[in-house]
Amino acid sequence: MLSSSAALFCTIISYMKRDSKLSSVLHVLLHLAHSDRPMTSEQMAGMLGTNPVLVRRVLAGLRERGYISSERGHGGGWTVTCDLAQVTLRDVYDAVGAPTVFAMGNRNEHSECLVERVVNASLESAFADAEALLVERLGQVSLADLSRDFNGRYDNHLHTRPAHEHD
């Protein structure tokens, strides 16, 4: 059984919000890539359960890099303008501001305690190694890879269920 302070700590950790920006943007990009018409910020926000203003703010970084474009007015919206095979998950990660990979960190960055300094150094090294490995892996996967995976899953999905979740 956990002590009351350990239980409180576990509760706080479980409520920490994960940064899902990269996942959300990749979700939207695949929908855009497989759409036969432009999608509005409102449509994408509905899929993500968020605000259209937040969608436009995040997509701005992708537009600046030429991965997507937007048209205003009736029939307008967002479309993919890049070659999916040439854009990696690392490219998208960078375009959305390279969000922090880990929510964990040191308790006190500038401690006078030698024990805490040793702990900090060890954790910083481990976090840096893990983040570098993840970012390297993101560079090995293209949007085309995700698209192929989606197509295969969608083909199998059609045989087991009547429709895709967002259809």
Side-chain angles (χ1 to χ4, degrees):
M1 183 159 167
L2 294 175
S3 70
S4 61
S5 61
L8 175 62
F9 179 75
C10 289
T11 301
I12 290 169
I13 295 298
S14 69
Y15 284 109
M16 292 178 119
K17 181 80 169 119
R18 290 184 178 180
D19 185 333
S20 61
K21 190 184 308 180
L22 179 61
S23 175
S24 296
V25 167
L26 292 171
H27 181 166
V28 165
L29 280 171
L30 278 182
H31 274 289
L32 288 174
H34 290 272
S35 180
D36 57 354
R37 59 186 173 4
M39 294 179 69
T40 67
S41 302
E42 289 76 17
Q43 289 170 313
M44 290 182 277
M47 282 189 280
L48 299 174
T50 191
N51 186 302
V53 173
L54 295 175
V55 170
R56 286 189 290 274
R57 190 175 301 149
V58 172
L59 294 182
L62 299 175
R63 182 177 52 211
E64 289 171 7
R65 292 179 184 233
Y67 303 154
I68 59 175
S69 66
S70 62
E71 294 289 326
R72 294 179 188 243
H74 182 70
W78 297 87
T79 56
V80 171
T81 55
C82 66
D83 176 355
L84 298 182
Q86 299 301 313
V87 179
T88 67
L89 303 190
R90 167 72 189 268
D91 296 327
V92 176
Y93 169 79
D94 290 338
V96 298
T100 301
V101 174
F102 296 107
M104 293 184 290
N106 294 327
R107 187 183 70 83
N108 180 352
E109 294 293 329
H110 306 289
S111 177
E112 296 299 319
C113 175
L114 292 179
V115 170
E116 191 162 29
R117 287 181 182 181
V118 168
V119 169
N120 288 356
S122 179
L123 289 177
E124 286 171 8
S125 175
F127 293 152
D129 290 349
E131 186 164 347
L133 182 62
L134 175 62
V135 171
E136 177 186 334
R137 174 69 175 117
L138 293 176
Q140 297 170 2
V141 180
S142 72
L143 293 178
D145 295 329
L146 292 185
S147 182
R148 276 190 296 280
D149 188 12
F150 166 75
N151 287 333
R153 290 173 190 241
Y154 190 75
D155 289 344
N156 291 331
H157 182 78
L158 290 176
H159 302 292
T160 60
R161 294 191 182 96
H164 177 248
E165 179 181 344
H166 299 304
D167 286 343

